[in-house]
Amino acid sequence: TVTLSIDGKTEKIRTFDDKVGDVLKSKGISLTDHDVVAPGTTSSVADGATIAVKYGRPLDVKLDGKSNRYWTTATNVASALDQLGLRFSNAKLSANRGATISRSGMDLAVVTPKTLQVKLGDERAKKTTVTALTVEDALKQLGEPADSNDQVKPGLDAKLQDGEPLLEECLDILVSTIAALHDLRGLGRFSNSRTARPTSSGPCIFGLTMYRL
């Protein structure tokens, strides 16, 4: 008699097979390169032994819009991220960390926090953190969604990127709200907004400036 554990679920079985691989075969269990079995399939089977099988499953992670496939034997999101060494502190996940990952796998979208330096009108610039993927998402989280009277450069669908030490790779955001065409021509009583440049020599802080007329 041996104990057979499949992804943590155990049962006791009677067998006359001498090798782990033969025991699994007799139970209709086939393995792939992503599965883990202990002891190995060529190991001898002793009475009272435990054979543990953990099935590999794909975890397709889309991190801030960029996709990567990982393989894990974990059966829930939290355990899988820990097993893979993926640290997503304060990130927004498309599935609960306790969600079950089926044998067929899971698609997991992750949006990480970004730091913005925000200046609204004549207010002093201030830093704030948003968990957003695009400019549009950031503006909505800030309670300043753009409408049909707003001019946004780059576009609302432009993606925000996590801070990097190279300033030239930072994303500048220019949000200029206009009331009439003559303001664009410099004829109004308000001047055009300026793109806020990063002010840190360390990780990039995205600049967001909005003037609402």
Side-chain angles (χ1 to χ4, degrees), residues 71-161:
W71 285 88
T72 179
T73 57
T75 57
N76 63 65
V77 172
S79 297
L81 295 180
D82 184 63
Q83 184 183 90
L84 296 169
L86 300 176
R87 304 288 182 258
F88 297 134
S89 300
N90 302 316
K92 182 188 297 182
L93 308 183
S94 60
N96 187 283
R97 290 179 182 266
T100 298
I101 303 175
S102 69
R103 192 176 175 187
S104 61
M106 173 187 282
D107 292 330
L108 182 68
V110 181
V111 180
T112 59
K114 285 91 178 171
T115 299
L116 305 177
Q117 183 162 311
V118 182
K119 186 178 187 301
L120 300 176
D122 294 330
E123 298 178 7
R124 296 182 61 183
K126 60 181 180 181
K127 294 179 184 179
T128 188
T129 300
V130 296
T131 308
L133 181 60
T134 66
V135 173
E136 182 177 23
D137 294 339
L139 292 176
K140 287 180 179 179
Q141 286 191 30
L142 292 171
E144 296 289 345
D147 57 31
S148 58
N149 294 319
D150 298 336
Q151 182 183 19
V152 183
K153 296 180 180 179
L156 293 174
D157 59 348
K159 292 182 180 180
L160 300 173
Q161 298 178 12

Side-chain angles (χ1 to χ4, degrees), residues 142-207:
L142 292 171
E144 296 289 345
D147 57 31
S148 58
N149 294 319
D150 298 336
Q151 182 183 19
V152 183
K153 296 180 180 179
L156 293 174
D157 59 348
K159 292 182 180 180
L160 300 173
Q161 298 178 12
D162 200 8
E164 297 179 356
L166 298 177
L167 295 181
E168 62 269 24
E169 295 184 7
C170 296
L171 175 66
D172 297 322
I173 303 174
L174 170 61
V175 181
S176 179
T177 305
I178 58 174
L181 182 60
H182 66 271
D183 292 322
L184 284 177
R185 295 172 176 168
L187 301 177
R189 58 193 182 92
F190 295 100
S191 61
N192 290 335
S193 303
R194 289 187 313 233
T195 302
R197 300 298 302 180
T199 57
S200 171
S201 59
C204 166
I205 298 176
F206 298 112

